[in-house]
Amino acid sequence: METAPIAGLGPLSKRERLREMVADALRAAVISGEMRPGAVYSAPTLSTMFGVSATPVREAMLDLVREGMVEALPNKGYRVRVVPEGELDQVTHVRLLLEPPTVHDVVPLVPEADFPRLRELADAIVTAVAEGDLVAYIHADRVFHLKLLSYAGNAQLSTIVAELRLRTRLLGLTPLLESGQLESSALEHHELLDRVEARDAEGARELMERHIGHVRGKWARGAPGGS
């Protein structure tokens, strides 16, 4: 049973939507690699780290179970999933079917007035990497991509993509941050915006394909050196 403290998981003050806050913190810990693949964590142990009761932790863990990030072990706790190679291939294939063509289609739909805000979102991604803040990076990256896809006006697609993106990030980002390769991925968000702003739909689609390809080619294999 894993009992060592997890960096970044400290007591939370009482606020609204406690379950969502706990779930977000747990997702960040899984994605960053602080919660290790294959390790088992109990709700009481995690609740002590957060400084909350075990109930919101159990509820949050059920969210992660549904998302495929962890699996429930009766009378033991929750184990961070080790994603099989075949599943990673399948998820990446579905993302390639959905995201690049959607980005292509939204290029003429993004209002000129929205580009400053999109640039701010891209800047937040680059800044988070520069500061070594993986939690901020994960959040900013998610917000950027889902905002871009939102111009398609398809809420179901955005929901599906959000879940798929979580499933392709289970091996941790810390090695990529330390190797400096996360920085190049962060800068690609500005390159993508350059193509969208130039109304280059085909160029935006091609870049999005390359962006997703990093996941399978580098991140998912855990090689040094994605979205």
Side-chain angles (χ1 to χ4, degrees):
M1 183 75 67
E2 190 76 10
T3 59
I6 300 171
L9 296 190
L12 295 173
S13 60
K14 291 184 178 180
R15 310 175 193 176
E16 294 180 357
R17 303 193 314 140
L18 182 56
R19 170 179 175 167
E20 288 83 356
M21 292 172 61
V22 172
D24 285 344
L26 290 170
R27 289 187 190 101
V30 172
I31 293 168
S32 69
E34 293 289 345
M35 293 178 68
R36 298 183 293 103
V40 177
Y41 300 86
S42 71
T45 297
L46 292 171
S47 67
T48 299
M49 294 180 187
F50 283 119
V52 300
S53 69
T55 298
V57 174
R58 289 193 180 96
E59 293 174 345
M61 275 300 199
L62 290 177
D63 290 339
L64 270 64
V65 169
R66 284 190 289 270
E67 294 166 6
M69 301 186 77
V70 302
E71 53 189 345
L73 302 177
N75 303 317
K76 292 184 179 180
Y78 303 88
R79 179 167 56 206
V80 179
R81 288 192 65 217
V82 177
V83 184
E85 292 283 320
E87 181 176 331
L88 289 169
D89 285 332
Q90 293 167 9
V91 170
T92 301
H93 178 67
V94 175
R95 286 190 63 191
L96 286 169
L97 290 175
L98 295 176
E99 294 182 64
T102 301
V103 168
H104 174 282
D105 292 345
V106 304
V107 165
L109 304 178
V110 181
E112 290 289 338
D114 287 8
F115 282 113
R117 174 55 182 158
L118 289 168
R119 289 290 178 184
E120 289 177 359
L121 295 176
D123 282 337
I125 298 170
V126 175
T127 298
V129 172
E131 296 177 350
D133 188 342
L134 286 176
V135 174
Y137 169 80
I138 292 161
H139 175 73
D141 183 65
R142 178 179 183 276
V143 171
F144 174 90
H145 283 285
L146 294 184
K147 174 62 177 175
L148 195 56
L149 294 177
S150 74
Y151 292 102
N154 189 330
Q156 293 301 315
L157 181 143
S158 294
T159 297
I160 291 169
V161 169
E163 180 177 338
L164 291 174
R165 288 170 61 81
L166 287 172
R167 292 190 177 208
T168 51
R169 296 181 166 203
L170 299 186
L171 293 185
L173 300 180
T174 300
L176 296 175
L177 177 65
E178 293 175 346
S179 70
Q181 299 208 33
L182 203 57
E183 181 180 3
S184 62
S185 178
L187 292 172
E188 279 187 347
H189 296 85
H190 277 296
E191 185 180 349
L192 178 59
L193 281 182
D194 289 341
R195 299 188 184 192
V196 176
E197 197 163 3
R199 306 304 183 184
D200 179 4
E202 185 59 24
R205 182 194 64 77
E206 291 175 354
L207 180 56
M208 195 65 216
E209 284 186 351
R210 171 157 51 96
H211 202 56
I212 294 173
H214 293 167
V215 177
R216 193 65 191 103
K218 296 178 180 179
W219 290 21
R221 291 195 178 100
S227 177

